Amino acid sequence: MKAAILCVGTELLFGQTVNTNATYISRQLQLLGFDVLYHHVVGDNPIRLERLIDICFEDCDLIITTGGLGPTEDDLTKEVIAKFVGDELVYDEVSLAGMKKYFSDTHRQMTKNNLKQALFPSKGKIFPNNVGTAPGFLSENDGKYIIALPGPPREMTTMFEKEIIPYLSERENAVLYYKIIRTYGIGESVLETVLMPLIHGQTDPTIATYAKEGECSLRVTSKRGTIEESKSAVEDMMVKIRNLIGEYIYSEDDEDMAEVLVKELNEKNLQLSSAESCTGGLFAGRITGVAGASKMFGRGYVTYSIESKVEDLGVDNLLIEKYSVVSGEVASEMAVKALEKSGSDVAVSVTGVAGPSDEGDIPAGKIYLGISWKDDRGNVKTKVQLMNSGRHDRKKNREYAVLAMMHMVLKLVRSL
Amino acid sequence: MKAAILCVGTELLFGQTVNTNATYISRQLQLLGFDVLYHHVVGDNPIRLERLIDICFEDCDLIITTGGLGPTEDDLTKEVIAKFVGDELVYDEVSLAGMKKYFSDTHRQMTKNNLKQALFPSKGKIFPNNVGTAPGFLSENDGKYIIALPGPPREMTTMFEKEIIPYLSERENAVLYYKIIRTYGIGESVLETVLMPLIHGQTDPTIATYAKEGECSLRVTSKRGTIEESKSAVEDMMVKIRNLIGEYIYSEDDEDMAEVLVKELNEKNLQLSSAESCTGGLFAGRITGVAGASKMFGRGYVTYSIESKVEDLGVDNLLIEKYSVVSGEVASEMAVKALEKSGSDVAVSVTGVAGPSDEGDIPAGKIYLGISWKDDRGNVKTKVQLMNSGRHDRKKNREYAVLAMMHMVLKLVRSL
């Protein structure tokens, strides 16, 4: 079943608001087993709107529109749809009564132009709106159909959840199942090359790769006769994928790396602390962004200057003078000192040049990561990792360092 | 001049990412004087992509595409466009050399499928990409034209700012001048009300307001006969705007608040330190994200636990017991201790409940901010601010607290 999403609204074309409606509806439709072929955004122009509806119906079985159901002159979605499917607009008494009540409940004046919001295609099915004035509706079109929803995101998502999902689930008998795998440490083109035996000529399940900042995700989808068959097909494919790239997988449930880290440290009752130089607090900020972090994270040091490394952490000034502040030795020492001062089970550190400029003969992107922990006998162990991207992008270097730090901790914790 | 935006990417149709590219490009095109008629999103399907290009060119003079310029089999934008305009793809030696260098600089493996990223329509104009592997390009189409940009937002916006805006300005002979004012501390509807005498019935210049997370921006635009006339008209309007809302303006050049803060503290040779609890390092991370921060920022404390506040900062345990950790007294003390320990000129602190849950009888969103500095006589002064949003949104509460902390520092520094 193929679907298109058609958003009516000039504010979107002006670039004033981001189109979160299309994203939301897309995700919901995918879960219900629809193949979303198009997103369209068009202004309050009946000719262009009608044209797009026509084009969408050539390829798609379902069109979902948002917007254009308001009381103003520019709101034309209903009129255009009714004309397209060859229906006429009539007053729906239930909606009219509901609207009058909504206005009196919220102590607001109902104006004459609100009346048009109670007009509907005579053969249409109406979906009530409990958080706004414009009900949605559905019109049939020769076995295909079009659903019109209000534009304001909260009204649209409420109606979608309460009315549209149940309606579509029943009408379409959805049997799609999918999993999203998150990987770290492998680039998208290498990933695709390694998975090519599974991807090439694929029919069902399908594997789609997509790169996000510094990471890669995989979506494995199956649409079979029953949900059990779909699930089984995906699980079989997951086994094959693990065989090829298992070492790079950090989540099989589309979880953020920080969420996975906080969850696993809490499960193992481990404490983490941090000592950050060039990432300047972003690592600690990322970890503490996860609800439940306070159980595994108590303190972080942002030792941005050399004085701070010496005074707040207790790093030996002579070590810095000997090896330079951007070195494996200093990264290691920062992690060890953070471990000792905080009493945590694991401590992670970072020192480097984020950019955009190089620092003397140290190139931008040269960043040392350190990690420190105690082994079974209580001995302090450390490990150091070097990133040397050659990149002059301050934001990217810091973000990728935070990602790498989280991954170092995760790998260590999974080995303990 | 009419334009359409065509985004290629199945991840958008899956609802996995929000289409920020279309919003950004729309806003830029509007500023350049284009009328944006459509946004379209389509997947990696050459037939549908070609069809949409055809439809767009019926109404529009310019199409901007994003995405589909990557190295994988699914990346087909170039092939489709070349076929549409009747051109052939050839290797561009400059791009190929640039790509090889990019891979060797970043110590990464270039694979065979990356080669296609150096293929371009032979009659096309190429736009270099300095933050990624895929250059963009332009193809002419009988007086109309199509520009293809990379999909990843950072690569796209960088290319747009460096290459496309100058190109389009020159090609379309834009004599438009604008300024973007950033304000803090005034809501969008109040802002619009206060500025109504200037906005009502406006022709040129125009004032457009738009709200971002926790702040409001204003764009003042003029399009006159010459650039000097446009500039003059905008400057005159700026005077009127300053008279009405001057106290809320923190930048007249669309600068980020952190950039303004770092710049002004550096100008005054002042040092800043921080003690963060619920924002967990995000404040320090935000400040250090600005190049040049190391001159004014040396250390930040992420004292997430009570132990850390006591041990790392030296906050009196009895104070915490008496007033509770989420209190003006503790916020004030955290700032004073950070000031003393670091020797900085200003120190800022935060303690509160970010959410999503309440903590006992302290509601989510209740956050105290503290600031500490020395007056002319060397006496330590402090000030406290309370935020009590009643919001359960952890991310928003933390982000708004960071914004408020930066604003507190800026206000203080501007008064010194």
Side-chain angles (χ1 to χ4, degrees), chain A residues 13 26-27 30 39-41 51 58 210 280 284-285 288 298-302 304-305 311-312 388 393-394 398, chain B residues 13-16 26 39-41 51 58 106-107 154 280 284-285 288 298-302 304-305 312 394 398:
Chain A
L13 296 175
S26 262
R27 208 184 302 159
Q30 290 283 345
H39 290 175
H40 299 298
V41 179
R51 186 119 158 287
E58 282 183 39
Y210 50 101
T288 55
R299 67 191 87 189
Y301 301 90
V302 181
Y304 209 61
S305 62
E311 291 168 20
D312 291 307
N388 202 358
D393 186 333
R394 190 185 183 92
R398 285 166 24 117
Chain B
L13 296 175
F14 279 140
Q16 275 146 0
S26 262
H39 291 175
H40 299 299
V41 179
R51 187 122 158 283
E58 282 183 37
T106 57
H107 312 291
R154 187 122 48 90
T288 56
R299 68 191 88 190
Y301 301 89
V302 182
Y304 209 60
S305 63
D312 292 307
R394 191 185 184 92
R398 287 168 21 121

Side-chain angles (χ1 to χ4, degrees), chain A residues 88-371:
Chain A
E88 54 171 347
L89 294 178
V90 299
Y91 279 109
D92 174 69
E93 292 308 322
V94 174
S95 300
L96 193 54
M99 200 183 302
K100 285 177 175 165
K101 184 179 185 303
Y102 180 88
F103 275 97
S104 87
D105 280 353
T106 57
H107 313 293
R108 292 195 298 157
Q109 184 83 9
M110 179 166 157
T111 55
K112 233 178 130 187
N113 52 9
N114 283 114
L115 280 175
K116 69 179 255 182
Q117 294 183 287
L119 281 168
F120 290 94
S122 68
K123 304 191 204 84
K125 174 182 170 53
I126 296 169
F127 301 110
N129 181 345
N130 300 317
V131 292
T133 54
F137 68 94
L138 177 151
S139 280
E140 299 283 347
N141 184 40
D142 275 335
K144 303 187 175 192
Y145 54 117
I146 179 164
I147 295 176
L149 303 174
R154 187 137 48 87
E155 294 182 34
M156 188 280 292
T157 58
T158 306
M159 192 179 290
F160 206 97
E161 261 161 73
K162 286 191 153 46
E163 306 284 333
I164 310 302
I165 292 178
Y167 177 83
L168 288 176
S169 302
E170 211 195 296
R171 181 166 180 154
E172 298 302 335
N173 198 27
V175 287
L176 185 136
Y177 185 82
Y178 72 94
K179 271 220 165 241
I180 294 180
I181 298 170
R182 297 235 200 166
T183 74
Y184 179 81
I186 182 169
E188 196 191 6
S189 46
V190 178
L191 185 67
E192 201 196 43
T193 306
V194 170
L195 293 176
M196 194 49 73
L198 304 176
I199 292 179
H200 188 69
Q202 64 184 351
T203 45
D204 185 286
T206 54
I207 299 173
T209 62
Y210 50 101
K212 292 169 73 121
E213 291 289 347
E215 320 178 34
C216 278
S217 293
L218 282 159
R219 201 187 127 110
V220 186
T221 316
S222 172
K223 197 161 46 170
R224 303 265 170 115
T226 65
I227 195 85
E228 291 76 24
E229 283 172 86
S230 302
K231 197 171 173 183
S232 184
V234 167
E235 298 292 339
D236 289 348
M237 182 59 81
M238 293 291 286
V239 174
K240 294 178 185 162
I241 292 173
R242 278 180 216 121
N243 284 342
L244 286 171
I245 56 150
E247 62 191 283
Y248 301 106
I249 297 176
Y250 73 82
S251 169
E252 292 189 3
D253 290 299
D254 202 22
E255 296 153 300
D256 193 57
M257 208 193 289
E259 294 176 311
V260 177
L261 209 162
V262 171
K263 184 175 76 175
E264 293 193 19
L265 263 82
N266 276 338
E267 276 167 5
K268 292 182 165 168
N269 283 308
L270 294 169
Q271 288 273 315
L272 174 70
S273 64
S274 59
E276 304 179 62
S277 192
C278 60
T279 48
L282 288 182
F283 175 85
R286 190 84 188 262
I287 299 299
T288 55
V290 182
S294 59
K295 186 183 165 207
M296 45 66 76
F297 189 86
R299 67 191 87 189
Y301 301 90
V302 181
T303 52
Y304 209 61
S305 62
I306 287 177
E307 291 77 22
S308 179
K309 289 172 182 72
V310 172
E311 291 168 20
D312 291 307
L313 276 179
V315 171
D316 188 349
N317 212 343
L318 296 173
L319 194 80
I320 296 176
E321 280 177 36
K322 183 175 180 186
Y323 292 105
S324 135
V325 72
V326 177
S327 63
E329 288 80 4
V330 170
S332 180
E333 185 73 345
M334 284 170 68
V336 170
K337 291 296 182 194
L339 192 80
E340 290 171 356
K341 286 208 75 165
S342 65
S344 63
D345 303 290
V346 183
V348 68
S349 71
V350 58
T351 172
V353 178
S357 331
D358 301 335
E359 249 161 69
D361 56 355
I362 311 175
K366 186 170 188 181
I367 296 171
Y368 284 93
L369 314 176
I371 188 165

Side-chain angles (χ1 to χ4, degrees), chain B residues 159-175:
Chain B
M159 192 180 291
F160 205 97
E161 261 161 73
K162 287 190 153 44
E163 306 283 333
I164 310 303
I165 291 177
Y167 177 83
L168 287 176
S169 302
E170 211 194 297
R171 180 167 180 150
E172 298 304 332
N173 195 31
V175 286

Side-chain angles (χ1 to χ4, degrees), chain A residues 49-79:
Chain A
L49 176 55
E50 194 184 324
R51 186 119 158 287
L52 283 177
I53 292 175
D54 193 25
I55 288 159
C56 288
F57 269 137
E58 282 183 39
D59 289 339
C60 304
D61 309 293
L62 163 66
I63 300 174
I64 296 196
T65 74
T66 67
L69 297 183
T72 76
E73 281 191 345
D74 296 330
D75 291 293
L76 294 161
T77 300
K78 235 179 270 197
E79 289 82 343

Side-chain angles (χ1 to χ4, degrees), chain B residues 24-54:
Chain B
Y24 171 86
I25 296 170
S26 262
R27 207 185 301 162
Q28 299 303 329
L29 288 179
Q30 291 283 345
L31 288 172
L32 288 159
F34 283 88
D35 228 335
V36 178
L37 297 190
Y38 300 105
H39 291 175
H40 299 299
V41 179
V42 71
D44 308 312
N45 181 292
I47 296 168
R48 289 197 275 275
L49 175 55
E50 194 185 322
R51 187 122 158 283
L52 283 176
I53 292 175
D54 193 23

